Amino acid sequence: SQQGEEDPQALSIQEGENATMNCSYKTSINNLQWYRQNSGRGLVHLILIRSNEREKHSGRLRVTLDTSKKSSSLLITASRAADTASYFCATSKAAGNKLTFGGGTRVLVKP
Amino acid sequence: DVKVTQSSRYLVKRTGEKVFLECVQDMDHENMFWYRQDPGLGLRLIYFSYDVKMKEKGDIPEGYSVSREKKERFSLILESASTNQTSMYLCASITSAGGPSNEQFFGPGTRLTVL
């Protein structure tokens, strides 16, 4: 079963613009993570936010978490062509535990 | 540099063949996972293992089995491949404690085509 649903499914922006994508989930979680996947490759971990946190930053990434709405957002500021990738949210019920992934958002950053 | 490797990047098999997908990690991780990825469906968990000789079914185990004889190696087996098993297969590992970022480390994936 898919825990996370992502919105939008695809996003096309100009270099320098911000990209925002959202993730909703269904059950209680320990943490929520975001991963990036470049075309045809494995996933790379971007950032983790724990259930008792509301906002987290890492470089040009900003993640928010609203456990009352069971939703999260990922903001990429000042996007670059190299940010072109698919982005997935994933939820976990415990540290080291299995992840449940959303369907992903495909982001295209045009130079 | 931590590494999860998968035996093949691309694989073409025929319907009914037995298929082995191998995954090896060099990080001494206890926990290992097999996912399949299909367009629009994200990653779906097939099987996982929290220890040697231990396995648990994920969300879509039908048609698959796994083997974990050594800590570093987790194999996915398609007993009799079918066309609906054409997909990208991704292996991942993580320490049982989760680590500071609770990050799962992924292999590069195996794109399997069943004809």
Side-chain angles (χ1 to χ4, degrees):
Chain A
S1 60
Q2 229 169 302
Q3 165 81 310
E5 298 292 337
E6 294 183 62
D7 169 54
Q9 290 189 337
L11 186 58
S12 180
I13 56 175
Q14 292 294 138
E15 207 165 22
E17 292 180 342
N18 296 341
T20 300
M21 58 210 86
N22 304 295
C23 169
S24 61
Y25 57 93
K26 297 173 184 172
T27 63
S28 62
I29 62 172
N30 173 274
N31 65 78
L32 184 145
Q33 304 175 38
W34 287 88
Y35 286 79
R36 183 187 73 223
Q37 183 182 37
N38 292 95
S39 180
R41 309 293 296 183
L43 276 71
V44 175
H45 183 265
L46 294 176
I47 193 167
L48 173 148
I49 186 164
R50 301 190 190 283
S51 59
N52 60 354
E53 298 175 312
R54 292 296 167 258
E55 187 170 316
K56 209 160 181 186
H57 297 255
S58 177
R60 294 184 295 113
L61 304 179
R62 173 177 167 255
V63 171
T64 63
L65 179 65
D66 186 336
T67 52
S68 66
K69 295 181 179 177
K70 291 186 169 60
S71 67
S72 173
S73 68
L74 172 67
L75 168 68
I76 306 172
T77 60
S79 63
R80 305 167 181 168
D83 295 327
T84 294
S86 291
Y87 293 82
F88 295 89
C89 69
T91 56
S92 175
K93 294 191 176 182
N97 209 339
K98 59 181 180 174
L99 293 174
T100 303
F101 283 84
T105 295
R106 293 189 312 280
V107 175
L108 172 64
V109 181
K110 294 179 280 188
Chain B
D1 193 21
V2 297
K3 271 226 172 93
V4 178
T5 57
Q6 295 182 227
S7 50
S8 306
R9 287 301 313 278
Y10 300 94
L11 209 52
V12 179
K13 295 292 182 181
R14 297 212 172 269
T15 301
E17 279 192 77
K18 191 169 186 176
V19 182
F20 292 88
L21 302 182
E22 304 284 342
C23 175
V24 178
Q25 50 93 5
D26 65 0
M27 296 164 282
D28 202 35
H29 286 169
E30 294 81 11
N31 302 350
M32 297 187 74
F33 307 85
W34 274 107
Y35 299 90
R36 66 175 281 176
Q37 182 179 19
D38 301 287
L41 296 178
L43 278 73
R44 293 179 291 168
L45 183 64
I46 304 171
Y47 266 97
F48 58 103
S49 170
Y50 287 158
D51 202 352
V52 175
K53 296 193 185 296
M54 176 270 177
K55 61 185 178 185
E56 284 198 40
K57 293 180 180 179
D59 298 320
I60 52 165
E62 296 79 18
Y64 304 94
S65 62
V66 290
S67 173
R68 184 112 182 256
E69 295 295 320
K70 293 184 177 181
K71 190 176 185 180
E72 68 270 18
R73 187 180 298 269
F74 192 35
S75 303
L76 180 69
I77 303 157
L78 287 66
E79 294 290 341
S80 178
S82 63
T83 55
N84 63 12
Q85 292 178 309
T86 291
S87 186
M88 170 75 101
Y89 290 87
L90 291 158
C91 173
S93 71
I94 189 173
T95 71
S96 57
S101 67
N102 203 51
E103 170 183 359
Q104 283 196 11
F105 293 87
F106 281 82
T110 295
R111 188 167 294 280
L112 172 67
T113 301
V114 182
L115 302 175

